Amino acid sequence: LTAKPVEWAISAYLAAVKNTAGVEHAAASNSFHGNHVPAPSIWFYSKADPVCNFNDCETVIGKWKARGTEVEEIVWEDTPHIQHGRVDPGRYFGSLSAFLIKHDLAN
C-alpha cells in the first residue's frame, strides 16, 4: 500500500537533485557497477521490493560474475525491503552463516 508513494518520492528526489547530489549518486552507482574488488559477495534481495528493483540487482550481479567475481544470490519472491531476516530468519541467517564459513570469515 505504501510502495507507490515511496517509489514516487525516491524518483522525485533523484529528479530534483540530478545536477547536485544526483551527480554523486550517479558516480557512486557507476563505481558500484564497476566494482574491481574481486572479493566473494552474497546478495539478499526480493522480487517484490519497491525500493530496490531486483532487475537492477541482477544487472550488477551479472557484471560482477562476468569479471570473475564469485557471487551468491539469495532471492525471495515476496519479502518487503530489507525484511528478509525478519520474515525468513532461517534461510537468511543460514545462508549468511554458510557463506561466512565457506569463505573462512566466520570468526
Side-chain angles (χ1 to χ4, degrees):
L1 185 63
T2 61
K4 288 298 175 190
V6 170
E7 289 178 58
W8 180 84
I10 291 169
S11 295
Y13 169 77
L14 291 175
V17 300
K18 69 180 179 183
N19 294 320
T20 56
V23 173
E24 296 299 323
H25 178 268
S29 180
N30 289 337
S31 179
F32 187 70
H33 278 252
N35 180 25
H36 297 289
V37 178
S41 66
I42 185 168
W43 287 62
F44 298 100
Y45 62 96
S46 171
K47 292 185 176 181
D49 190 332
V51 177
C52 182
N53 187 299
F54 76 94
N55 291 308
D56 296 337
C57 295
E58 292 175 352
T59 295
V60 176
I61 289 167
K63 290 176 181 180
W64 289 13
K65 284 182 176 180
R67 280 195 293 275
T69 300
E70 181 182 339
V71 180
E72 292 184 33
E73 300 171 69
I74 313 303
V75 184
W76 285 265
E77 293 296 320
D78 57 2
T79 53
H81 183 65
I82 65 167
Q83 297 298 310
H84 322 306
R86 182 183 60 77
V87 172
D88 191 0
R91 183 171 180 217
Y92 180 89
F93 292 105
S95 299
L96 178 58
S97 179
F99 177 84
L100 294 173
I101 290 168
K102 176 180 178 181
H103 297 287
D104 199 26
L105 301 168
N107 293 332

